[in-house]
């Protein structure tokens, strides 16, 4: 607030990362396992974090199979609100739930290439939120700016690694869902959107040729 003069400050404290974890069972003779982790924990849902990358309050079931060649996650997030300036978690409820399931398979078809399939579900409840600087952030400060509910499912396929001499990192997502009151359209809207990202590179001696 500039009206407070040239000397002004703000303090903020939080507990960003905390969790307990326990192994539930062994899944094979090669140290394959399934575990559960409960608490505020970091999680990135694909190789590049296109859809979800956060540290937040969650219950996560995870493990590996086939001598750690395959990995899997099932995670339920009950999101906490973020502080405006630090972007760290506050102790307030965000009223948003996220459910994520993914599966990684190493050496899929080609040695050195890891494939991943995933499903994300996002339920964003209607809320009103002003940030600590006094600006409206929810609902969207455009159009009718009325609280609205968004339910979206993201179907994903991603990969990372190399196919012979070609390095590759890619992702494709299809999002389908419903917005109860789109702020620009001023009516309920169906959601149907796609995205694709690809990065290719090739190493020649000490040079790397890359395109995306």
């Amino acid at each position: 607030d500039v009206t407070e003069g040239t000397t002004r400050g703000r303090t903020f404290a939080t507990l960003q990362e905390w969790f307990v974890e326990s192994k539930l069972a062994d899944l094979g003779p090669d140290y394959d396992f399934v575990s559960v982790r409960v608490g505020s924990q970091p999680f990135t849902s694909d190789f590049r974090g296109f859809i979800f990358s956060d540290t937040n309050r969650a219950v996560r079931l995870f493990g590996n199979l086939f001598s750690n060649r395959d990995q899997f996650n099932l995670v339920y997030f009950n999101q906490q609100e973020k502080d405006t300036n630090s972007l760290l978690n506050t102790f307030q409820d965000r009223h948003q739930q996220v459910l994520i399931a993914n599966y990684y398979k190493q050496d899929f078809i080609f040695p050195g290439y890891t494939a991943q399939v995933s499903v994300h579900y996002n339920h964003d409840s209607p809320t009103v939120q002003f940030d600590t600087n006094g600006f409206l952030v929810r609902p969207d400060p455009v159009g009718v700016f009325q609280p609205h509910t968004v339910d979206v499912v993201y179907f994903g396929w991603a990969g990372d690694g190399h196919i012979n001499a070609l390095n590759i990192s890619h992702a494709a997502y299809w999002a389908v869902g419903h917005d109860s009151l789109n702020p620009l359209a001023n009516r309920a809207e169906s959601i149907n959107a796609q995205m694709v990202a690809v990065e290719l590179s090739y190493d020649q001696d000490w040079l790397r040729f890359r395109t995306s």
Side-chain angles (χ1 to χ4, degrees), residues 7 9 15 23 25 34-35 47 62 70 96 124 129 147 151 175 183 191:
T7 303
L15 183 60
K23 186 173 80 169
V34 59
S35 291
F47 299 103
F62 66 99
D70 293 13
Q96 180 185 30
D124 200 350
Q129 175 71 19
D151 287 289
I191 297 170

Side-chain angles (χ1 to χ4, degrees), residues 6 10 102 120 129 174 194:
T6 58
R10 179 176 294 163
N102 64 22
H120 300 64
Q129 175 71 19
W174 180 27
Q194 302 82 35

Side-chain angles (χ1 to χ4, degrees), residues 140 142-146 148 179 181-187:
D140 310 332
V142 295
V144 295
F145 51 91
Q146 295 294 318
H148 56 111
D179 186 346
L181 181 63
N182 184 272
L184 292 177
N186 193 22
R187 65 183 183 190

Side-chain angles (χ1 to χ4, degrees), residues 5-62:
T6 58
T7 303
R8 54 189 188 269
R10 179 176 294 163
T11 59
F12 174 76
T14 188
L15 183 60
Q16 180 72 0
E17 185 176 331
W18 54 270
F19 58 82
V20 295
E21 180 181 318
S22 176
K23 186 173 80 169
L24 300 180
D26 290 311
L27 300 181
D30 300 311
Y31 304 103
D32 296 321
F33 68 94
V34 59
S35 291
V36 64
R37 178 183 290 181
V38 179
S40 184
Q41 53 193 287
F43 186 75
T44 300
S45 66
D46 65 17
F47 299 103
R48 297 295 184 95
F50 281 121
I51 303 299
F52 186 93
S53 183
D54 195 10
T55 299
N56 223 305
R57 189 174 51 189
V59 178
R60 177 187 174 199
L61 185 74
F62 66 99

